Amino acid sequence: MKNLSMFRFFGLAMFVFIACESETENEPQLPLVAEMVEDLSAPNDVIDRTTGQVLEEMPFQYFSLSENRVMTVDESWDLAFKGTTIRTNASKNVSAALVDGIFQEIKEIPETASFALDTETTLAIPTGSGNGWYSYNSTTHAIKPIPGKVILLQTSSGNYAKVEILSYYKGNPSDEELDPLTDEGATYTFQYVLQPNGTTTFE
């Protein structure tokens, strides 16, 4: 009788487990939504323009995509911003690839994407006008994101994300409104989509 009761117990437990597993598999997957980060201030070092000497060294601003917030250098951040420089957290194996494409139309990590880690001498996200995500106009002194440039990341948690820099100036002014001489620069607006399940798709 005791054996029969135990059999019934395990039978019921297996039924509940299978039922729960089936429900989990049949749960609809929520669509991924782009997160918007506005006016992330990351001022560059204060430099004497005549001598090139650094008068005041400014800190990087460390950002976690999974936490969607600024963090300290000792935490598991993904990207660090200062001036036009964007670093990746090589100590946490955060790698990046810069690709051409329309942000909304990139549905998965392309096979041709070449991911790299920051090193002491090179950046995974190149800096310099026309080299990476932005261009600099020497006449107007405007720094603008290059249309169609998307940053792909493998984050500190091993998940994939796509990032698009939308503006380098506070308030995300339009081209008509932008005045690079008076608008506050090094103040990022960007959007990103993070796939939290470890796959390489963004659907």
Side-chain angles (χ1 to χ4, degrees), residues 171-179:
N172 187 14
S174 65
D175 289 346
E176 293 75 20
E177 298 170 329
L178 175 63
D179 184 349

Side-chain angles (χ1 to χ4, degrees), residues 96-150:
L98 194 68
V99 298
D100 296 318
I102 298 174
F103 181 80
Q104 291 80 2
E105 294 181 358
I106 296 178
K107 303 298 185 182
E108 62 181 344
I109 301 294
E111 295 182 359
T112 54
S114 180
F115 284 83
L117 296 170
D118 279 11
T119 70
E120 292 183 359
T121 57
T122 61
L123 296 173
I125 304 170
T127 191
S129 178
N131 296 327
W133 64 270
Y134 72 92
S135 63
Y136 171 72
N137 187 313
S138 59
T139 302
T140 65
H141 303 291
I143 294 172
K144 295 182 180 180
I146 299 173
K149 290 293 183 182
V150 178

Side-chain angles (χ1 to χ4, degrees), residues 29-34 193-196 201-203:
Q29 296 295 317
L30 296 176
L32 298 178
V33 177
V193 171
L194 173 66
Q195 173 55 271
T201 64
F202 298 113
E203 293 184 307

